[in-house]
Amino acid sequence: MSQAQIRQAPNLDVDVHVGGVAPRTITEYWEPIPADIVSIVPASSDYRVVRIGDEILIIDPVSFEIVDVLS
């Protein structure tokens, strides 16, 4: 993904799959998509990113829907 460090969200019960919904408590851990990725994929600028275990979740901050999962 990026050279940027993506924050880990510990101890969250999240069903990690595209189309799943993240719990509202995830806002404590998520961050904006790193700028180097937004420069390549401008449409990603509205999403948030967080790491859960070995996977990186891309989340819609309005619906909390998981829009992508990167291993």
Side-chain angles (χ1 to χ4, degrees):
M1 180 171 195
S2 167
Q3 296 296 333
Q5 293 293 323
I6 296 181
R7 192 169 177 197
Q8 180 80 26
N11 304 320
L12 286 181
D13 183 24
V14 178
D15 186 8
V16 177
H17 69 277
V18 173
V21 177
R24 302 270 177 202
T25 55
I26 205 161
T27 60
E28 180 179 342
Y29 304 103
W30 72 15
E31 300 172 336
I33 299 285
D36 57 335
I37 295 172
V38 172
S39 69
I40 297 166
V41 186
S44 69
S45 67
D46 292 336
Y47 294 127
R48 299 294 180 264
V49 63
V50 67
R51 180 183 305 274
I52 295 183
D54 293 333
E55 306 195 293
I56 296 170
L57 307 185
I58 309 297
I59 302 171
D60 180 321
V62 175
S63 67
F64 287 75
E65 179 180 357
I66 299 169
V67 297
D68 204 354
V69 178
L70 307 170
S71 295

